[in-house]
Amino acid sequence: SDFSYTWKKDSLTYSLDAELDRVRNGENVTEVITCHQPQYWDYLQLQKGLVAFLDSFELDTNHYEIPPFKEDSVDCYDAAKVALIGHLYVDSTSAVDDSIFIERLKAFQLINGLKDDAVVGKWTGRALSKSNRDRFYQAALSLEKWRWKKEVPSRYIRVNIPEFTLYFIDSNEVKRKHRVVVGAYATKTPEFHATMVRMITNPYWHVPYSISSTEILYGARKDSAYFSKRGYTITQGGSSVDPTTVDWSSVKQGNFPYRVRQNGGGGNSLGRIKFLFPNQHSVYLHDTPSKRLFANDVRAYSHGCVRLHEPFDLAKSILELDQHKIQADTLDSLIIRGAQRVIELENPFEVFIEYYTATGDSLGNIIFHPDIYGRDEKYLTNSLKKFKF
């Protein structure tokens, strides 16, 4: 299932009757309720941001069709203007002034977790098509997820998939914040938590069968030098195979008999370091040679694993807090020399891969992130039908 958040009455740690009695006996109802809410910084900032959003905007129910920019740029921007007016980001009089319209469009993009470039692309169009009530429900669902979250440890990594961001937290302080690339829609990154136990420099990439039997097979059929160009080696039954001796046109996708491995190094798909937290999904964090993707605002391109921007800075921070015998200069040396080294952590810690489409920032603003996998939309649609909202 895509959703792990369900109402469980037996999970309450207090008596509802006792709490209602407190109100009947004269205690302030707000204080009775808020004493049970999470005290996570993220929850409280999201809560503040939602209050500010509700103070600034009406919960309109207007939905709009935004034509693709590439098909008709004039119609696209005209529709965007109508949507911004409908969502009360700009009034009809001010919207006539193109400079004001562009300014408000950029502000709209920022509050919806997008690059403020005033370009009405795919994701800006999707955000414009939604109503403010839709955004309210996104925030409400994210708050609900925080309410059902178990206590977090003092040190952990948290990846928020729709935010395309990793946080490394120690003693309630954000030590590192990194941009990430997550799974594409066809190969979604799952939600789970596991324990970070080791890092590997200059790792091999043992290519999953789902990729070797499709993408790599296709490449091999097109180019006889495909394997040597990319540093791939293949084996069958434990024995090495020369790929130039294989008739790739006769190899079928449903019966791919080889194991494929990519040697370590800068051109390796995992880059020069990976972070392992064993899990049933075989998902991990890793470097990547495709640095250009980190410049995009919506970063959903991977096969499911999480690609990390500036991974060595994260690794050095982990080693420092771990008080590990391998120091930053040693790590640099391993990377530069191309040496493969398994670095076992002295103090393993938790990694949480999560899906929150609304967050709050340090200034008390709310940010709505793209529901890239449609998980929240599906959950909310089913819930709203069930309760007839």
Side-chain angles (χ1 to χ4, degrees), residues 153-198:
S154 61
R155 182 179 304 166
Y156 62 96
I157 277 176
R158 175 175 176 258
V159 175
N160 186 21
I161 296 170
E163 191 181 1
F164 311 104
T165 302
L166 174 147
Y167 299 89
F168 178 39
I169 297 166
D170 184 70
S171 301
N172 295 317
E173 180 183 345
V174 177
K175 295 295 186 181
R176 299 289 314 172
K177 180 180 177 181
H178 294 257
R179 284 175 281 171
V180 299
V181 170
V182 300
Y185 186 83
T187 50
K188 304 177 185 68
T189 298
E191 298 167 71
F192 65 97
H193 81 273
T195 303
M196 175 83 74
V197 293
R198 67 183 63 90

Side-chain angles (χ1 to χ4, degrees), residues 81 85 90-101 104:
K81 188 173 293 187
I85 293 170
V90 65
D91 60 60
S92 56
T93 303
S94 300
V96 175
D97 185 325
D98 284 343
S99 63
I100 294 177
F101 163 64
R104 299 310 299 155

Side-chain angles (χ1 to χ4, degrees), residues 5-103:
Y5 304 98
T6 56
W7 174 263
K8 295 182 180 179
K9 187 175 180 180
D10 59 358
S11 67
L12 295 177
T13 57
Y14 54 87
S15 164
L16 286 173
D17 290 339
E19 299 309 289
L20 289 172
D21 285 341
R22 290 175 61 188
V23 176
R24 291 191 192 98
N25 293 332
E27 291 192 48
N28 182 281
V29 64
T30 301
E31 293 179 1
V32 171
I33 292 172
T34 56
C35 75
H36 293 292
Q37 74 176 12
Q39 295 305 308
Y40 305 122
W41 181 93
D42 311 77
Y43 178 89
L44 297 175
Q45 290 304 113
L46 174 55
Q47 195 176 54
K48 291 176 184 176
L50 180 56
V51 170
F53 178 76
L54 294 174
D55 286 342
S56 301
F57 300 99
E58 293 180 17
L59 294 186
D60 75 293
T61 58
N62 303 318
H63 294 92
Y64 299 91
E65 187 71 32
I66 310 297
F69 178 85
K70 292 180 180 179
E71 291 184 8
D72 192 320
S73 60
V74 175
D75 281 356
C76 176
Y77 273 87
D78 285 346
K81 188 173 293 187
V82 170
L84 278 187
I85 293 170
H87 300 323
L88 305 178
Y89 279 79
V90 65
D91 60 60
S92 56
T93 303
S94 300
V96 175
D97 185 325
D98 284 343
S99 63
I100 294 177
F101 163 64
I102 292 299
E103 176 190 327

Side-chain angles (χ1 to χ4, degrees), residues 106-387:
K106 288 182 176 181
F108 176 85
Q109 289 176 313
L110 284 177
I111 201 174
N112 284 277
L114 302 168
K115 187 182 297 183
D116 58 337
D117 55 9
V119 175
V120 183
K122 171 184 174 181
W123 291 101
T124 295
R126 289 191 179 185
L128 286 165
S129 71
K130 291 185 175 182
S131 70
N132 284 339
R133 180 165 289 185
D134 294 331
R135 278 177 267 278
F136 166 76
Y137 285 138
Q138 272 186 253
L141 179 55
S142 290
L143 286 168
E144 182 66 11
K145 289 179 181 180
W146 279 110
R147 282 192 284 270
W148 289 108
K149 192 177 180 69
K150 295 181 179 179
E151 290 296 319
V152 296
S154 61
R155 182 179 304 166
Y156 62 96
I157 277 176
R158 175 175 176 258
V159 175
N160 186 21
I161 296 170
E163 191 181 1
F164 311 104
T165 302
L166 174 147
Y167 299 89
F168 178 39
I169 297 166
D170 184 70
S171 301
N172 295 317
E173 180 183 345
V174 177
K175 295 295 186 181
R176 299 289 314 172
K177 180 180 177 181
H178 294 257
R179 284 175 281 171
V180 299
V181 170
V182 300
Y185 186 83
T187 50
K188 304 177 185 68
T189 298
E191 298 167 71
F192 65 97
H193 81 273
T195 303
M196 175 83 74
V197 293
R198 67 183 63 90
M199 300 181 287
I200 303 176
T201 61
N202 297 294
Y204 294 138
W205 181 35
H206 297 278
V207 184
Y209 182 83
S210 60
I211 299 174
S212 61
S213 63
T214 52
E215 296 177 27
I216 288 180
L217 176 58
Y218 176 80
R221 288 171 176 171
K222 299 281 286 185
D223 182 2
S224 59
Y226 179 83
F227 289 89
S228 60
K229 287 179 180 178
R230 290 162 178 78
Y232 290 130
T233 59
I234 63 173
T235 58
Q236 184 177 21
S239 301
S240 179
V241 175
D242 181 351
T244 62
T245 64
V246 177
D247 178 10
W248 292 105
S249 63
S250 66
V251 179
K252 305 302 180 183
Q253 179 177 330
N255 186 27
F256 188 84
Y258 307 106
R259 290 183 178 274
V260 181
R261 188 188 79 181
Q262 188 178 36
N263 296 325
N268 183 289
S269 294
L270 305 185
R272 292 192 175 273
I273 191 167
K274 71 175 178 179
F275 304 76
L276 281 173
F277 36 100
N279 59 86
Q280 63 179 334
H281 309 286
S282 298
V283 165
Y284 42 84
L285 296 168
H286 64 85
D287 180 24
T288 175
S290 302
K291 311 295 186 186
R292 60 182 177 79
L293 296 178
F294 292 112
N296 297 345
D297 48 358
V298 177
R299 298 186 290 273
Y301 302 102
S302 82
H303 289 98
C305 285
V306 178
R307 304 176 191 172
L308 182 62
H309 188 241
E310 299 178 342
F312 311 121
D313 290 338
L314 176 63
K316 290 173 184 178
S317 184
I318 290 173
L319 290 173
E320 180 183 358
L321 289 172
D322 195 54
Q323 298 183 330
H324 204 281
K325 62 183 179 182
I326 292 182
Q327 300 298 309
D329 56 349
T330 307
L331 181 68
D332 286 338
S333 176
L334 292 169
I335 297 300
I336 293 169
R337 290 189 290 110
Q340 185 174 104
R341 177 76 171 269
V342 177
I343 304 172
E344 300 286 348
L345 296 182
E346 301 291 341
N347 301 288
F349 59 87
E350 294 299 286
V351 175
F352 299 88
I353 311 294
E354 302 176 327
Y355 197 92
Y356 289 79
T357 60
T359 60
D361 66 16
S362 59
L363 299 176
N365 301 312
I366 193 168
I367 303 169
F368 302 98
H369 304 285
D371 185 10
I372 54 170
Y373 301 152
R375 288 177 181 168
D376 279 10
E377 182 179 1
K378 181 179 178 182
Y379 186 91
L380 288 167
T381 298
N382 292 339
S383 297
L384 296 177
K385 282 181 180 178
K386 180 179 180 180
F387 295 106

